[in-house]
């Protein structure tokens, strides 16, 4: 209200606070079809992340009918889940053919591996600062079964699984859900390339040496060394894929 001078006077915040109640968050119940859509989306996304899409030059296709039967839901939530995944760039609907899991070009994959290097090196930094000794000890246990009598190069499938889990664990040790979420989709492509290239040019033998060095740095809380070793290890994969990826990309 204007005062005797004709100027509108604004009430102090403390006086205005009681005039309007704070907004309330109103959340409705999930409709059954929304719940099914979410479940279908999560199950399908995890299945795609677990796929080795670069093992073959042939495209990987998703069968809506088969998927709905496996999940025990109608095809509607499956279609809705596929739309969500298409928006994320994981799949592509091809008219009269179906739904194809998308692969990246070599340049795109190299870019993604470089991005992973940046994210994982930050995760290694955070792990040295915040992760518990008990949690960090889990990294070394991943490779406890490998030695001169059980070489990574002689057990590539087993070592490849430990290798992927090692990199995922470092990201989780960061304690940052943002880093976990950011690396999730990159993992779909980086994972496949790690699995393929780990058996080439004795990379498995060099890989475990790198891993043990990274583990040692994190255990000793040597932040800068952990960052450098983690970053350079993954950048080495980017360089290798850029130079030696014949037969992997179309």
């Amino acid at each position: 209200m204007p005062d005797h001078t004709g100027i509108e006077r604004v009430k102090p915040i403390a006086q205005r606070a009681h005039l309007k109640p704070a907004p309330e968050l109103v959340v409705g119940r999930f409709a059954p079809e929304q719940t099914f859509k979410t479940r279908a989306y999560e199950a399908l996304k995890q299945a795609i992340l677990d796929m080795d899409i670069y093992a073959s030059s042939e495209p990987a296709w998703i069968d809506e009918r088969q998927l709905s039967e496996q999940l025990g839901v109608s095809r509607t939530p499956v279609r809705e889940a596929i739309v969500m995944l298409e928006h994320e760039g994981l799949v592509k609907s091809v008219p009269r053919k179906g739904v194809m899991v998308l692969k990246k070009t070599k340049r795109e994959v190299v870019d993604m591996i470089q991005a992973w290097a940046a994210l994982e090196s930050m995760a290694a930094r955070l792990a040295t600062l915040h992760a518990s000794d008990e949690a960090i000890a889990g990294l070394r246990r991943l490779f406890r079964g490998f030695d001169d009598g059980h070489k990574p190069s002689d057990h590539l499938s087993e070592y490849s699984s430990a290798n992927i889990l090692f990199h995922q664990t470092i990201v989780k040790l960061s304690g940052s859900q943002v880093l976990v979420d950011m690396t999730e989709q990159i993992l779909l492509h980086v994972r496949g390339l790690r699995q393929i290239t780990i058996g080439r040019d004795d990379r498995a033998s060099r890989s475990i040496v790198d891993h043990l060095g990274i583990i040692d740095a994190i255990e000793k809380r040597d932040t800068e060394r952990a960052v450098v070793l983690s970053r350079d290890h993954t950048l080495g994969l980017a360089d290798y894929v850029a130079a030696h990826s014949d037969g992997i990309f179309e």
Side-chain angles (χ1 to χ4, degrees):
M1 174 182 296
D3 60 12
H4 67 278
T5 65
I7 299 175
E8 183 84 22
R9 299 296 183 183
V10 179
K11 291 184 178 181
I13 292 176
Q15 295 180 27
R16 286 185 282 128
H18 70 282
L19 298 179
K20 186 177 181 180
E24 294 183 5
L25 180 65
V26 179
V27 179
R29 288 179 176 271
F30 281 118
E33 62 270 15
Q34 290 177 307
T35 302
F36 292 146
K37 177 183 71 173
T38 301
R39 291 176 180 174
Y41 163 79
E42 292 173 348
L44 182 52
K45 184 172 185 176
Q46 188 58 54
I48 291 173
L49 292 173
D50 290 340
M51 291 176 70
D52 188 358
I53 63 175
Y54 293 97
S56 171
S57 59
E58 294 297 317
W61 295 91
I62 295 173
D63 187 320
E64 281 187 18
R65 180 180 300 175
Q66 182 181 34
L67 189 60
S68 66
E69 291 175 354
Q70 290 175 335
L71 294 174
V73 299
S74 70
R75 295 178 68 175
T76 297
V78 171
R79 291 194 187 103
E80 292 173 336
I82 288 172
V83 170
M84 295 169 67
L85 292 169
E86 193 162 12
H87 288 162
E88 293 182 10
L90 292 178
V91 301
K92 179 181 180 180
S93 296
V94 181
R96 295 182 296 279
K97 288 189 176 181
V99 179
M100 179 176 63
V101 179
L102 285 178
K103 295 182 181 181
K104 301 294 185 180
T105 65
K106 179 168 73 172
R107 181 65 259 169
E108 288 172 330
V109 169
V110 169
D111 288 346
M112 295 177 87
I113 296 173
Q114 290 170 340
W116 181 284
L119 296 171
E120 187 177 324
S121 62
M122 175 54 72
R125 172 184 290 278
L126 295 174
T128 66
L129 298 174
H130 305 301
S132 68
D133 291 343
E134 181 181 359
I136 291 173
L139 288 172
R140 194 171 290 277
R141 286 195 293 269
L142 292 173
F143 303 108
R144 185 171 290 170
F146 297 98
D147 51 33
D148 289 340
H150 194 81
K151 297 180 179 179
S153 56
D154 294 334
H155 302 273
L156 284 175
S157 179
E158 181 184 349
Y159 180 72
S160 179
S161 297
N163 177 32
I164 298 299
L165 187 55
F166 169 75
H167 291 284
Q168 289 178 290
T169 301
I170 288 181
V171 175
K172 291 178 181 177
L173 285 176
S174 71
S176 170
Q177 188 59 44
V178 172
L179 284 177
V180 172
D181 293 340
M182 290 177 71
T183 55
E184 187 178 60
Q185 291 189 32
I186 297 178
L187 179 64
L188 170 64
H189 305 281
V190 175
R191 175 191 191 117
L193 270 297
R194 284 194 186 279
Q195 289 174 325
I196 292 172
T197 60
I198 198 66
R200 298 183 177 185
D201 301 322
D202 199 31
R203 284 179 53 79
S205 297
R206 295 196 297 274
S207 169
I208 194 168
V209 172
D210 287 355
H211 289 171
L212 294 177
I214 294 168
I215 293 170
D216 182 69
I218 295 176
E219 286 176 337
K220 293 178 178 177
R221 310 287 177 168
D222 189 338
T223 301
E224 295 310 315
R225 186 161 69 97
V227 168
V228 171
L229 292 178
S230 177
R231 181 195 64 207
D232 290 352
H233 172 68
T234 299
L235 287 179
L237 174 63
D239 292 341
Y240 187 86
V241 170
H244 305 285
S245 55
D246 296 340
I248 297 177
F249 301 96
E250 296 178 1

mmCIF file of all heavy atoms in Angstrom, residues 11-22:
data_model
loop_
_atom_site.group_PDB
_atom_site.id
_atom_site.type_symbol
_atom_site.label_atom_id
_atom_site.label_comp_id
_atom_site.label_asym_id
_atom_site.label_seq_id
_atom_site.Cartn_x
_atom_site.Cartn_y
_atom_site.Cartn_z
ATOM 1 N N LYS A 11 6.755 -4.732 2.113
ATOM 2 C CA LYS A 11 6.935 -5.245 3.469
ATOM 3 C C LYS A 11 8.201 -6.090 3.554
ATOM 4 O O LYS A 11 8.556 -6.787 2.606
ATOM 5 C CB LYS A 11 5.738 -6.101 3.879
ATOM 6 C CG LYS A 11 4.457 -5.303 4.063
ATOM 7 C CD LYS A 11 3.357 -6.203 4.555
ATOM 8 C CE LYS A 11 2.058 -5.410 4.790
ATOM 9 N NZ LYS A 11 0.991 -6.290 5.290
ATOM 10 N N PRO A 12 8.891 -6.012 4.666
ATOM 11 C CA PRO A 12 10.062 -6.873 4.862
ATOM 12 C C PRO A 12 9.672 -8.336 4.704
ATOM 13 O O PRO A 12 8.523 -8.726 4.935
ATOM 14 C CB PRO A 12 10.498 -6.569 6.302
ATOM 15 C CG PRO A 12 9.924 -5.217 6.574
ATOM 16 C CD PRO A 12 8.637 -5.152 5.826
ATOM 17 N N ILE A 13 10.670 -9.149 4.326
ATOM 18 C CA ILE A 13 10.419 -10.583 4.094
ATOM 19 C C ILE A 13 9.812 -11.229 5.329
ATOM 20 O O ILE A 13 8.893 -12.045 5.244
ATOM 21 C CB ILE A 13 11.726 -11.293 3.707
ATOM 22 C CG1 ILE A 13 12.179 -10.802 2.332
ATOM 23 C CG2 ILE A 13 11.542 -12.802 3.697
ATOM 24 C CD1 ILE A 13 13.514 -11.382 1.892
ATOM 25 N N ALA A 14 10.309 -10.853 6.499
ATOM 26 C CA ALA A 14 9.804 -11.463 7.741
ATOM 27 C C ALA A 14 8.323 -11.206 7.922
ATOM 28 O O ALA A 14 7.595 -12.035 8.468
ATOM 29 C CB ALA A 14 10.587 -10.918 8.930
ATOM 30 N N GLN A 15 7.833 -10.033 7.452
ATOM 31 C CA GLN A 15 6.428 -9.705 7.597
ATOM 32 C C GLN A 15 5.576 -10.350 6.517
ATOM 33 O O GLN A 15 4.391 -10.580 6.690
ATOM 34 C CB GLN A 15 6.245 -8.186 7.563
ATOM 35 C CG GLN A 15 6.889 -7.465 8.742
ATOM 36 C CD GLN A 15 6.674 -5.969 8.670
ATOM 37 O OE1 GLN A 15 5.680 -5.523 8.087
ATOM 38 N NE2 GLN A 15 7.600 -5.203 9.252
ATOM 39 N N ARG A 16 6.216 -10.615 5.349
ATOM 40 C CA ARG A 16 5.449 -11.197 4.242
ATOM 41 C C ARG A 16 5.355 -12.706 4.308
ATOM 42 O O ARG A 16 4.555 -13.328 3.643
ATOM 43 C CB ARG A 16 6.106 -10.810 2.905
ATOM 44 C CG ARG A 16 5.888 -9.357 2.516
ATOM 45 C CD ARG A 16 6.455 -9.071 1.144
ATOM 46 N NE ARG A 16 7.892 -8.926 1.173
ATOM 47 C CZ ARG A 16 8.743 -9.582 0.398
ATOM 48 N NH1 ARG A 16 8.289 -10.495 -0.423
ATOM 49 N NH2 ARG A 16 10.033 -9.366 0.452
ATOM 50 N N ALA A 17 6.223 -13.346 5.110
ATOM 51 C CA ALA A 17 6.340 -14.800 5.090
ATOM 52 C C ALA A 17 5.031 -15.495 5.424
ATOM 53 O O ALA A 17 4.728 -16.568 4.892
ATOM 54 C CB ALA A 17 7.430 -15.235 6.076
ATOM 55 N N HIS A 18 4.218 -14.884 6.300
ATOM 56 C CA HIS A 18 3.001 -15.555 6.750
ATOM 57 C C HIS A 18 1.847 -15.384 5.773
ATOM 58 O O HIS A 18 0.798 -15.993 5.931
ATOM 59 C CB HIS A 18 2.589 -15.003 8.115
ATOM 60 C CG HIS A 18 2.093 -13.584 8.037
ATOM 61 N ND1 HIS A 18 2.954 -12.506 7.934
ATOM 62 C CD2 HIS A 18 0.820 -13.084 8.021
ATOM 63 C CE1 HIS A 18 2.226 -11.397 7.866
ATOM 64 N NE2 HIS A 18 0.942 -11.718 7.923
ATOM 65 N N LEU A 19 2.028 -14.586 4.733
ATOM 66 C CA LEU A 19 0.917 -14.282 3.841
ATOM 67 C C LEU A 19 0.580 -15.439 2.909
ATOM 68 O O LEU A 19 -0.559 -15.602 2.502
ATOM 69 C CB LEU A 19 1.247 -13.024 3.019
ATOM 70 C CG LEU A 19 1.459 -11.738 3.834
ATOM 71 C CD1 LEU A 19 1.794 -10.589 2.912
ATOM 72 C CD2 LEU A 19 0.198 -11.439 4.649
ATOM 73 N N LYS A 20 1.613 -16.242 2.557
ATOM 74 C CA LYS A 20 1.368 -17.317 1.593
ATOM 75 C C LYS A 20 2.053 -18.586 2.073
ATOM 76 O O LYS A 20 3.246 -18.574 2.365
ATOM 77 C CB LYS A 20 1.911 -16.924 0.216
ATOM 78 C CG LYS A 20 1.568 -17.915 -0.873
ATOM 79 C CD LYS A 20 2.074 -17.414 -2.228
ATOM 80 C CE LYS A 20 1.707 -18.396 -3.328
ATOM 81 N NZ LYS A 20 2.184 -17.930 -4.647
ATOM 82 N N PRO A 21 1.322 -19.666 2.195
ATOM 83 C CA PRO A 21 1.946 -20.906 2.679
ATOM 84 C C PRO A 21 2.959 -21.444 1.684
ATOM 85 O O PRO A 21 2.880 -21.166 0.488
ATOM 86 C CB PRO A 21 0.748 -21.857 2.818
ATOM 87 C CG PRO A 21 -0.257 -21.339 1.844
ATOM 88 C CD PRO A 21 -0.101 -19.841 1.885
ATOM 89 N N ALA A 22 3.925 -22.182 2.198
ATOM 90 C CA ALA A 22 4.936 -22.785 1.331
ATOM 91 C C ALA A 22 4.273 -23.775 0.380
ATOM 92 O O ALA A 22 3.292 -24.440 0.737
ATOM 93 C CB ALA A 22 5.978 -23.499 2.185
#
